Amino acid sequence: MKKFRKVLDGLTTSSPVNVGSAPVCSSTAGTPTAAVTPREIEVQETLVSENFQICKTVRHGFPYQPTALAFDPVQKILAIGSRSGGVRILGRPGVDCFCQHESGAAVLQLQFLINEGALVTACADDTLHLWNLRQKRPAILHSLKFNRERITFCHLPFQSKWLYVGTERGNTHIVNIESFVLSGYVIMWNKAIELSTKTHPGPVVHLSDSPKDEGRLLIGFESGTVVQWDLRVKKADFRIYYDEAIHSVSWHHEGKQFMCSHSDGSLTTWNLRNTSKPFQVTFPHGKAQRDGKKPESCKPILKVEYKTTRNSSEPFVIFSGGLSYDKASRRPTLTIMHGKSITVLEMDHPIVDFLVLCETPYPNEVQEPYAVAVLLEKDFILVDLTQSSFPIFENPYPMDIHESPVTCTAYFADCPPDIIPVLYSIGAKHKKQGYSHKEWPVSGGTWTLGAQTYPEIIITGHADGSIKFWDATAITLQMLYKLKTSKVFEKPKAGEGRGAEMVEEDPYAVQMVSWCPQSRLFCVVGISAHVILYRLSKHDATTEIVSLEVRLQCDVEDVLSPCEAESTPGLSDQSSHSPQQAPASPGSVTPEGLRDSIPCLKVKNRPVRMPPGYQAELVVQLLWVDGEPPQQITSVDINSAYGLLALGNCNGLAVVDYLQKSILLCMSTLELYGSSDPYQRLTRSPRKNRQFTQDNFCMRGLSNFYSDSKKRIRTSYQSLTELSDNQVPLELERSRSPTSVPYPTSLHNDPRSFPEPVANLKASHYSPVFHLLDNDHVNGHCTSPTSQPCVAGKPRVPGPEGPRLSRRGPGRPPFRKAQSAACMEISLPVSHTEGYASKRAMLQQLHGVSMYSHDEHHATMYSWSEKESRENSFSRSRSSSVSSIDRETKEAVTTLRFMESCARKADTAPAPSLWVGTSLGVVLVIGLSIPADEEERLDEPVAVAPSGTVLMLKGSVLTFGSLDCGGSLIPSPYEVWRDPHAPEDPDRPRKRKLVNFSPSSSQEVAGDGHLAVVCSERQAKVFLMPAQTCLFVHNITESSFVLRSDVVSVCNSVCLACFCANGHVMTLSLPSLRPLLDVNYLPLTDMRIARTFCFTNGGQALYLSTPTEIQRITYSQEMCDNLQEFLGELFTPVETPEAQNRGFLKGFFGGNAQTFDREELFGEAAAGKASRSLAQHIPGPGGMEGMKAAAGGVVGDLARARIALDERGQRLGELEERTALMMSSAEAFSKHAHELMLKCKDKKWYQF
């Protein structure tokens, strides 16, 4: 039991952390906290550092930038390799495993050891890896690094332990899979081709053993040369020279002929009886010439598969590519030829690879293909070959997370158990039709639902305005329901002139969501400065959507020319801080031709039929003011018990009563202070006449921000998936997505891209509408769309706040595009040496607006070094002129929270309140007076008034939390869900049912108050309310800043979880703020991760690891220990199917393969040892060698014992099976012998 003593005043705290000369907490500016009678608060803190450990749990989504595909036809599991070195192994739903090569090299090829529980990967760094799949977390057993040759192709025959490896030089090496050592047997390229050949045949593009004879290896070279090599006599049986490059080769199962695909779009069939010329040459998509000439060349056929069936004499010929060049606009295709039938399947994305799934693993049997697995750049499909229409199978994996780029995420653990069935039943009605009726063929592995499971839901927001609800229970992911927010608005019609130009290219992109699982209210914040409120209903309805328009914007400052902007000394113009709540006329245009009081989007003003599900009830839109567009909304919160919705941006705060459909409060942040403003702010000089340019009239897309030199910053979502060392084609550049941001080609900082005299720049009163800091460069790239081009040797000198429009430069619209989180690949700075301004610029991009923290100063006519500013700014006196000038900048509302709290010191009981956090590190508490009676609530107005309470921290405020004095979390009150469109029951009138968790209900003494937890990007503090005294303070980070934080429940207790820009994941105890966990989890992070990282209860979190994948992690030791129970088994013992009996005559006359002992040819005794310099063997951590090399200890001994037991158990199982077979055989023999004895018992010797 720990006892924490309250402090006597607000000038000291019980924490030993030094916070400088600034007061750590105060109730009003300049007024110290009144003394409090000392008494002890007993809090039982049960969390210790041993309760926390961070590890990855599961990865969902489509593998980003896929490169290779493999399938085990016996185990029925599938593997996909990616360009970043990742491998996804998939089986039945629930069996989903992600492996990562430490080198990060691209996976070139995958080869399963069929029915052996192992996988071979060939990577772009010329290394082979052997993965053990007989454990839930696959590990590398061996690695083999080639030093002098580059790997181009690999082939592993069925039930063989010798792997053929082709190289770029044209040589073929042989690797022993068991020991992962090179054999001395090598097929050199100059031995494979004829001595008279003067040119090099090129890299090896194909290797396969003949189905007829395993002792003959078919080698295909890129130049068009094909050689069949007799492994026994070490010479070529035949050589084929063709004048077109070869891309792939496929055997007929009888081994008498094979088919090649070529770069001119042709397919050639070769018969082994006559290899001087092809048996058949076809151009499947080529136009036949009338004069008998060769058809026109087509696009290359990159791969062909030649498969036979029992029911038809006609084989399946399946290939990708080969279209005519005159059809350049057509999409990628997969062609299926069966007899005279040719079916062309058009794909939405380029084909990376495909495999034909067959019934038998033996290459010399009739193949019986039943499906085609097609790996696309952004999708994975399976085509059913057993039906003539070739339908696709319904994919059970969540491969469509990236259907539209993900812009935000939300994670909810321990949801109400009835919410998932409701969403699933509604979403099932909108599923696509036309899928194959057969079960998903990839059905390997086993998975069972763990014992300790609870409902979990993940919500993703997308660039097209869609919202997806996912069932994430027990580390699976299944889509429940999809909502399209764009249906609320009218579609912009073509030819509307300036009205159409107002809407940017992705006007419905989702910025953030707020969801109350108990009341099922759902709030969506869009990029066009709008908030949509949804209610869940099981019934369809036809209603009108109420629209409220809020004029939440400061007046426009003067416009100066660029020359004036640079020469103005820094005097700022006076403008009102208060938003204009009463527009002159709806949708008006001022006499100067400016847009005024016009929303960015038009809500449908007619009755709209809404299907069951989430139905829009209210839309709140911010308006244009005097030609200036509304600023993006930076924070939102909704409370169903209060019936209120709050939203804020860099201009101020608005509170909406969604029950009465009215605006209760619309104020700038400065007005919220009243007389309690802790900063001295200068008044502004009178304004000059406004001047406006032609570019004020519309909001353009993101592309207009990047002109000339800025074009390099822009890259598309599509280009990210096609990233390569080659230059991006012009067509791709033109088709780039407007929601994208750069994928930097260099990951190091370029010092030349930073202007040197940063310290001596004249700081001005930046307009916080969209402008980032002056030095907003990250890793050598300018990240601010509104920043001026930097001229070498000449720093960019901004003007005063007046010239807002001219500072943007010509042709730049005032609306800043929200950059898609899916495309963010800019590394965040991880240390203070990388530039403080860059960190702030990244945080500003994260929130979508300029953030000004009071520990950063930009002063007019003053200059100091950046280091001095960083170290001394927070401790600098608040009354200094420098600080006073800095206070004039606008203050963004960064977080909002409705909760039961004591807003004033004099309050004796908690009451409804709204906590407001700002970018200056200030916490404001607004009191709410809500009528208690339900009828009065719908008629009487809600009173909203600032309480005058002001609390302060370092850095922008991120999170609020409320605890009782026993340390337990106090949830926000809510209204129990009721269907708004359910039929009325006259006997049971519908009433609102509210659930309130007030601090007094959980405490014996109501007068003890409660604890308020506040976390900013630098600090965390715990305040005692209503005394407003700071009990504990902890400086979270000095060299970085917190990106995400939340008060979460872990192990039946509460803690504060934080994710920093330098990649650290931290947890702090509550209320004492003791560090419990600090792990450098992500050494280099980027904006996509920063935007999508979120914590939830139960010690879980997630983030978008790639533009197409969600990575879930846990920071709970308990879940790490129990993780093995949740994961699926990749390997299951399956009997290998027996080979078909070919029959005596067929085997005799067919010249079937004689016995071929590879060990005798490739072993060290016959072939000798390979050169040590050719390849280097590296023991993997998954093998016994790696385990022996690991540090000793109990954990290592247990792991070794467990693996040994598994192996022993497997051997015992095999021994038991053999023993049972021998016993049954012995019993049968004994029975027959006894019968024979009885039969011959009475016979004489001459009767035999």
Side-chain angles (χ1 to χ4, degrees):
M1 185 72 70
K2 295 188 177 182
K3 296 182 179 181
F4 303 127
R5 184 173 298 277
K6 294 183 180 179
V7 295
L8 297 180
D9 54 54
L11 300 178
T12 59
T13 66
S14 58
S15 172
V17 178
N18 180 21
V19 294
S21 61
V24 292
C25 79
S26 60
S27 57
T28 57
T31 305
T33 306
V36 183
T37 303
R39 60 175 176 269
E40 293 179 348
I41 301 176
E42 295 182 353
V43 176
Q44 180 79 29
E45 286 197 0
T46 59
L47 291 179
V48 292
S49 58
E50 286 74 17
N51 295 126
F52 296 92
Q53 179 186 349
I54 191 165
C55 69
K56 296 180 180 179
T57 55
V58 68
R59 181 174 290 208
H60 303 295
F62 179 75
Y64 182 54
Q65 295 179 328
T67 55
L69 182 66
F71 181 70
D72 187 328
V74 179
Q75 287 290 321
K76 294 193 181 301
I77 57 176
L78 184 113
I80 301 175
S82 68
R83 191 174 299 179
S84 60
V87 178
R88 286 282 292 282
I89 304 174
L90 304 169
R92 67 175 66 247
V95 179
D96 187 343
C97 181
F98 173 76
C99 313
Q100 176 66 46
H101 294 91
E102 291 185 1
S103 64
V107 178
L108 299 180
Q109 198 174 351
L110 299 166
Q111 285 278 324
F112 275 106
L113 276 67
I114 296 177
N115 205 27
E116 295 291 336
L119 175 70
V120 175
T121 59
C123 297
D125 60 351
D126 307 310
T127 306
L128 297 173
H129 303 277
L130 178 63
W131 292 83
N132 178 20
L133 305 184
R134 297 194 177 210
Q135 54 194 53
K136 291 187 176 182
R137 291 281 193 178
I140 294 178
L141 294 172
H142 302 281
S143 297
L144 188 65
K145 169 73 174 175
F146 281 75
N147 296 323
R148 296 185 298 182
E149 297 199 54
R150 307 213 65 181
I151 300 173
T152 56
F153 195 86
C154 298
H155 171 64
L156 181 65
F158 178 50
Q159 293 182 327
S160 169
K161 67 176 184 179
W162 297 95
L163 174 71
Y164 301 114
V165 181
T167 67
E168 194 174 37
R169 293 185 179 179
N171 303 324
T172 302
H173 300 275
I174 301 172
V175 178
N176 187 316
I177 290 298
E178 293 180 350
S179 61
F180 238 58
V181 175
L182 269 180
S183 168
Y185 193 112
V186 183
I187 305 174
M188 306 299 291
W189 67 271
N190 54 355
K191 300 284 184 67
I193 65 173
E194 290 181 340
L195 297 177
S196 60
T197 305
K198 297 181 181 180
T199 58
H200 189 280
V204 175
V205 296
H206 177 80
L207 291 169
S208 62
D209 50 347
S210 170
K212 189 177 180 180
D213 185 357
E214 293 179 346
R216 287 177 164 82
L217 182 69
L218 193 70
I219 308 173
F221 298 93
E222 188 180 54
S223 63
T225 302
V226 179
V227 176
Q228 180 167 289
W229 184 263
D230 192 326
L231 294 170
R232 300 183 188 89
V233 299
K234 300 182 181 180
K235 70 175 185 179
D237 288 338
F238 61 83
R239 299 177 178 90
I240 294 174
Y241 299 96
Y242 196 67
D243 55 358
E244 291 293 340
I246 290 178
H247 286 283
S248 69
V249 181
S250 183
W251 279 99
H252 188 278
H253 82 275
E254 293 180 349
K256 297 178 181 179
Q257 60 184 17
F258 59 88
M259 184 177 292
C260 301
S261 67
H262 300 278
S263 57
D264 62 346
S266 64
L267 295 174
T268 57
T269 306
W270 300 83
N271 197 313
L272 298 191
R273 293 180 179 178
N274 181 15
T275 58
S276 59
K277 63 178 182 178
F279 171 73
Q280 185 180 22
V281 180
T282 58
F283 286 80
H285 296 297
K287 293 181 179 180
Q289 303 293 328
R290 293 182 179 179
D291 52 1
K293 292 182 180 180
K294 180 181 177 181
E296 293 181 357
S297 294
C298 299
K299 295 179 181 179
I301 296 178
L302 301 179
K303 186 174 182 179
V304 64
E305 292 276 10
Y306 192 18
K307 303 297 179 183
T308 53
T309 59
R310 294 189 185 92
N311 299 331
S312 174
S313 60
E314 298 292 342
F316 275 98
V317 177
I318 305 171
F319 60 89
S320 61
L323 288 181
S324 176
Y325 278 105
D326 61 355
K327 299 177 180 178
S329 61
R330 291 188 62 174
R331 295 184 292 182
T333 59
L334 182 78
T335 304
I336 302 175
M337 298 173 59
H338 190 215
K340 296 182 180 180
S341 171
I342 300 178
T343 305
V344 179
L345 306 178
E346 289 191 342
M347 303 295 169
D348 293 331
H349 310 286
I351 298 174
V352 175
D353 196 3
F354 74 90
L355 290 175
V356 179
L357 310 188
C358 301
E359 296 287 352
T360 176
Y362 295 93
N364 57 354
E365 295 180 357
V366 179
Q367 297 299 289
E368 285 295 329
Y370 60 88
V372 182
V374 187
L375 179 63
L376 308 176
E377 279 196 353
K378 297 179 185 178
D379 202 358
F380 174 73
I381 62 172
L382 268 175
V383 181
D384 188 354
L385 291 180
T386 60
Q387 301 183 40
S388 59
S389 60
F390 302 125
I392 65 173
F393 291 88
E394 185 176 5
N395 197 329
Y397 314 125
M399 294 286 189
D400 57 346
I401 293 176
H402 62 289
E403 186 178 13
S404 175
V406 178
T407 53
C408 73
T409 58
Y411 193 6
F412 300 88
D414 204 7
C415 300
D418 58 337
I419 185 67
I420 290 180
V422 170
L423 290 174
Y424 181 79
S425 62
I426 295 173
K429 300 176 182 178
H430 305 285
K431 280 192 174 183
K432 296 180 181 179
Q433 304 296 325
Y435 292 111
S436 172
H437 299 295
K438 294 190 176 182
E439 292 186 0
W440 182 254
V442 186
S443 56
T446 57
W447 179 77
T448 56
L449 194 66
Q452 300 177 349
T453 59
Y454 44 83
E456 299 175 68
I457 288 182
I458 294 174
I459 301 176
T460 56
H462 301 265
D464 64 351
S466 60
I467 303 284
K468 292 182 180 179
F469 289 78
W470 305 85
D471 178 10
T473 305
I475 73 171
T476 61
L477 196 71
Q478 182 181 9
M479 196 173 81
L480 296 172
Y481 174 67
K482 182 178 179 180
L483 173 67
K484 295 182 180 180
T485 62
S486 59
K487 292 185 176 180
V488 174
F489 304 99
E490 299 281 3
K491 292 183 179 180
K493 298 178 181 179
E496 288 187 351
R498 295 292 183 181
E501 294 177 9
M502 285 178 59
V503 182
E504 60 166 278
E505 294 167 71
D506 281 330
Y508 312 112
V510 179
Q511 270 192 294
M512 63 185 77
V513 296
S514 178
W515 186 49
C516 178
Q518 289 77 18
S519 65
R520 303 181 188 178
L521 281 178
F522 188 51
C523 207
V524 180
V525 178
I527 188 62
S528 299
H530 64 266
V531 180
I532 310 175
L533 176 64
Y534 289 91
R535 284 185 183 269
L536 182 65
S537 176
K538 298 180 181 180
H539 307 273
D540 56 359
T542 302
T543 58
E544 287 194 12
I545 303 172
V546 180
S547 177
L548 293 179
E549 298 177 348
V550 180
R551 191 178 172 93
L552 187 63
Q553 181 129 358
C554 298
D555 287 346
V556 180
E557 293 86 359
D558 297 350
V559 177
L560 303 179
S561 66
C563 297
E564 290 179 292
E566 294 183 6
S567 60
T568 306
L571 296 176
S572 59
D573 300 326
Q574 182 182 7
S575 66
S576 172
H577 281 269
S578 77
Q580 309 292 322
Q581 294 191 48
S585 61
S588 64
V589 178
T590 61
E592 295 88 348
L594 303 175
R595 298 193 176 278
D596 189 64
S597 303
I598 299 176
C600 298
L601 301 174
K602 184 179 180 182
V603 180
K604 292 180 179 177
N605 56 1
R606 62 183 184 277
V608 179
R609 184 189 176 278
M610 302 180 188
Y614 271 105
Q615 300 169 350
E617 178 181 303
L618 175 67
V619 179
V620 181
Q621 291 182 288
L622 303 187
L623 301 176
W624 284 59
V625 179
D626 293 337
E628 280 295 307
Q631 307 310 303
Q632 295 177 18
I633 297 170
T634 56
S635 57
V636 69
D637 192 32
I638 189 169
N639 189 280
S640 56
Y642 302 161
L644 300 180
L645 167 69
L647 58 97
N649 64 3
C650 64
N651 288 326
L653 170 71
V655 180
V656 176
D657 185 342
Y658 67 80
L659 295 179
Q660 299 184 17
K661 308 297 187 294
S662 61
I663 301 173
L664 301 178
L665 181 73
C666 184
M667 301 176 69
S668 69
T669 318
L670 180 60
E671 288 180 323
L672 295 176
Y673 287 102
S675 60
S676 304
D677 190 355
Y679 305 120
Q680 298 180 12
R681 309 179 194 246
L682 295 181
T683 58
R684 300 190 176 189
S685 59
R687 292 174 294 173
K688 303 176 183 179
N689 294 330
R690 299 190 184 98
Q691 300 174 9
F692 296 91
T693 63
Q694 186 72 14
D695 296 316
N696 294 324
F697 290 102
C698 65
M699 293 184 296
R700 302 187 182 89
L702 185 64
S703 59
N704 292 323
F705 283 118
Y706 304 93
S707 58
D708 302 325
S709 62
K710 299 298 176 73
K711 285 283 177 98
R712 70 182 187 278
I713 305 175
R714 183 171 171 231
T715 198
S716 69
Y717 174 78
Q718 179 179 1
S719 67
L720 289 178
T721 62
E722 299 172 353
L723 190 66
S724 64
D725 296 332
N726 301 326
Q727 190 174 0
V728 180
L730 180 61
E731 308 86 69
L732 187 58
E733 176 71 26
R734 291 174 180 170
S735 65
R736 285 177 166 174
S737 165
T739 60
S740 57
V741 199
Y743 196 110
T745 57
S746 173
L747 294 179
H748 60 275
N749 291 337
D750 185 1
R752 294 172 297 176
S753 61
F754 290 89
E756 291 183 7
V758 173
N760 298 321
L761 284 179
K762 294 182 179 180
S764 66
H765 310 298
Y766 293 108
S767 166
V769 179
F770 312 114
H771 293 276
L772 303 180
L773 293 187
D774 185 37
N775 189 17
D776 46 9
H777 292 70
V778 178
N779 294 339
H781 296 275
C782 176
T783 60
S784 169
T786 56
S787 57
Q788 299 291 335
C790 296
V791 181
K794 182 179 180 181
R796 180 163 41 88
V797 181
E801 187 163 357
R804 172 178 300 182
L805 296 181
S806 62
R807 266 204 311 274
R808 296 192 187 100
R812 296 182 181 179
F815 191 85
R816 180 180 179 219
K817 171 78 169 150
Q819 295 156 338
S820 170
C823 310
M824 289 291 191
E825 294 288 346
I826 307 172
S827 297
L828 285 171
V830 295
S831 64
H832 65 276
T833 58
E834 297 186 35
Y836 191 78
S838 297
K839 294 178 188 175
R840 174 59 49 199
M842 283 294 95
L843 187 63
Q844 291 161 353
Q845 281 204 16
L846 175 66
H847 291 284
V849 296
S850 286
M851 303 288 181
Y852 287 85
S853 180
H854 59 265
D855 56 338
E856 298 176 39
H857 298 276
H858 305 276
T860 306
M861 307 303 293
Y862 291 87
S863 64
W864 52 80
S865 68
E866 181 186 0
K867 182 177 179 181
E868 180 183 352
S869 170
R870 189 166 57 249
E871 294 176 348
N872 303 329
S873 59
F874 186 73
S875 60
R876 190 174 285 109
S877 171
R878 298 293 174 192
S879 59
S880 66
S881 59
V882 174
S883 180
S884 300
I885 293 174
D886 183 47
R887 291 313 120 220
E888 191 190 11
T889 57
K890 294 177 188 175
E891 198 173 352
V893 176
T894 55
T895 184
L896 295 166
R897 173 75 183 274
F898 286 104
M899 60 182 175
E900 296 283 318
S901 175
C902 300
R904 300 174 180 84
K905 285 187 177 182
D907 293 345
T908 58
S913 62
L914 172 63
W915 286 57
V916 181
T918 74
S919 57
L920 295 186
V922 177
V923 178
L924 305 169
V925 184
I926 297 177
L928 307 173
S929 178
I930 302 175
D933 185 73
E934 182 174 357
E935 295 182 0
E936 293 182 358
R937 176 63 186 88
L938 298 177
D939 299 330
E940 298 294 328
V942 176
V944 180
S947 64
T949 299
V950 177
L951 309 175
M952 294 175 59
L953 292 87
K954 281 200 285 189
S956 300
V957 181
L958 301 178
T959 307
F960 294 123
S962 181
L963 309 176
D964 61 23
C965 288
S968 300
L969 184 66
I970 304 175
S972 298
Y974 64 87
E975 175 189 1
V976 178
W977 176 75
R978 54 177 182 170
D979 196 325
H981 300 296
E984 293 285 348
D985 187 354
D987 298 331
R988 300 178 60 185
R990 299 172 60 184
K991 293 184 178 181
R992 298 180 69 207
K993 183 179 179 181
L994 306 182
V995 179
N996 193 354
F997 302 91
S998 63
S1000 59
S1001 62
S1002 58
Q1003 297 171 212
E1004 296 180 0
V1005 183
D1008 282 348
H1010 69 99
L1011 303 177
V1013 182
V1014 186
C1015 181
S1016 73
E1017 62 182 16
R1018 298 301 179 95
Q1019 273 187 333
K1021 289 187 179 183
V1022 176
F1023 295 92
L1024 175 65
M1025 305 301 287
Q1028 302 176 15
T1029 53
C1030 182
L1031 297 181
F1032 303 98
V1033 58
H1034 178 73
N1035 287 338
I1036 299 175
T1037 178
E1038 294 293 340
S1039 60
S1040 184
F1041 54 91
V1042 179
L1043 290 170
R1044 288 289 184 269
S1045 64
D1046 207 349
V1047 178
V1048 293
S1049 299
V1050 181
C1051 300
N1052 299 320
S1053 189
V1054 186
C1055 70
L1056 179 64
C1058 303
F1059 173 61
C1060 296
N1062 57 8
H1064 283 247
V1065 175
M1066 306 179 185
T1067 58
L1068 304 174
S1069 68
L1070 289 176
S1072 64
L1073 298 178
R1074 289 180 297 108
L1076 298 174
L1077 174 73
D1078 188 354
V1079 177
N1080 189 7
Y1081 175 67
L1082 294 171
L1084 284 176
T1085 185
D1086 53 45
M1087 283 302 301
R1088 181 189 61 253
I1089 296 176
R1091 280 177 175 264
T1092 57
F1093 198 103
C1094 53
F1095 294 99
T1096 189
N1097 296 327
Q1100 297 194 72
L1102 65 80
Y1103 59 92
L1104 210 65
S1105 56
T1106 69
T1108 62
E1109 295 171 285
I1110 290 177
Q1111 178 68 59
R1112 291 166 66 179
I1113 64 173
T1114 180
Y1115 50 93
S1116 166
Q1117 179 68 56
E1118 182 182 3
M1119 187 165 185
C1120 289
D1121 295 339
N1122 299 329
L1123 187 59
Q1124 292 292 327
E1125 299 179 9
F1126 293 98
L1127 299 176
E1129 292 278 359
L1130 294 173
F1131 178 79
T1132 54
V1134 178
E1135 193 78 22
T1136 302
E1138 295 183 1
Q1140 295 178 358
N1141 186 6
R1142 297 173 57 85
F1144 173 75
L1145 294 177
K1146 190 172 183 180
F1148 183 80
F1149 292 105
N1152 198 12
Q1154 51 185 309
T1155 57
F1156 175 61
D1157 188 358
R1158 293 186 177 90
E1159 181 70 32
E1160 184 180 343
L1161 283 177
F1162 306 146
E1164 186 176 333
K1169 292 184 178 180
S1171 172
R1172 291 186 177 181
S1173 61
L1174 183 60
Q1176 176 187 1
H1177 176 256
I1178 305 171
M1184 292 301 294
E1185 297 96 340
M1187 190 170 292
K1188 291 175 184 176
V1194 178
V1195 176
D1197 293 339
L1198 287 175
R1200 284 191 288 271
R1202 183 173 182 177
I1203 290 182
L1205 285 173
D1206 290 343
E1207 294 177 352
R1208 184 167 178 253
Q1210 185 177 350
R1211 293 195 188 100
L1212 287 175
E1214 295 175 355
L1215 181 61
E1216 186 179 355
E1217 292 177 0
R1218 292 175 186 172
T1219 305
L1221 290 174
M1222 290 176 65
M1223 288 181 63
S1224 61
S1225 177
E1227 290 176 359
F1229 179 77
S1230 175
K1231 180 180 179 182
H1232 290 308
H1234 184 70
E1235 291 176 352
L1236 183 63
M1237 185 267 293
L1238 293 176
K1239 184 177 180 180
C1240 304
K1241 180 178 179 181
D1242 299 327
K1243 290 186 178 181
K1244 303 298 182 180
W1245 63 270
Y1246 54 82
Q1247 292 177 326
F1248 286 98

